[in-house]
Amino acid sequence: PRKRLAWEDLSEDFRRDAEAYLAGRADPDIFDQSTTAPRRPLAPTTLRQHREHLRLAASVLVEAGVSAADITSLADLVDPGRFKTVLRHYHGQRNGGPNAFAVCLAKTLVRVAKYHVGVSADQVAELKGLAAKLPPIPFDLTAKNKALLRQLEAPRLRAKLVFLPEELLAKV
């Protein structure tokens, strides 16, 4: 697979637009009267995740044949055709199975459309409808975590875990 674009490889206009979106989500105007204005600031880790989602979505479009110079704003990512291209890419990575990353990236792009690009409610609904076609993420433990919990069901191991603080204290 091709190497993903670095942030610096994206057009200056795109980066400026993305930074404006991220700044608005970091410190939203609580007095904004718009019904689509965000009310709560996003955590720094969420902002980093959104920034990465934007970079990766643009990278997928470039891999699909769109010139990096033609991606000049966040509106270019939330065009329904391009939105589908990005989702198809990540959906295909899991051979059509559930993909938490694709679901999160779709949510980020829908938020961009709603809070920054200013698309109509119908367009937001269209993007949400496309994202809803992704397979849902199962609400269950992974096989690895289930195996770990099964090990803790053994009385000997459970006792070891319960008495671990005392054992550690005795060693100190």
Side-chain angles (χ1 to χ4, degrees), residues 28-51:
D29 181 359
I30 62 169
F31 299 108
D32 189 334
Q33 298 291 330
S34 169
T35 58
T36 60
R39 301 288 175 227
R40 293 184 355 232
L42 295 178
T45 54
T46 305
L47 291 168
R48 280 193 302 277
Q49 182 183 49
H50 280 218
R51 180 185 171 110

Side-chain angles (χ1 to χ4, degrees), residues 80-128:
R82 289 181 173 182
F83 184 76
K84 281 192 266 188
T85 298
V86 172
L87 294 188
R88 275 192 182 111
H89 173 81
Y90 287 107
H91 177 62
Q93 283 190 331
R94 293 290 173 116
N95 297 321
N99 184 339
F101 181 80
V103 170
C104 289
L105 186 136
K107 286 179 182 180
T108 296
L109 294 180
V110 168
R111 289 176 183 143
V112 165
K114 181 178 179 181
Y115 296 131
H116 184 74
V117 176
V119 301
S120 70
D122 289 341
Q123 290 169 305
V124 169
E126 180 183 4
L127 295 177
K128 284 182 177 181

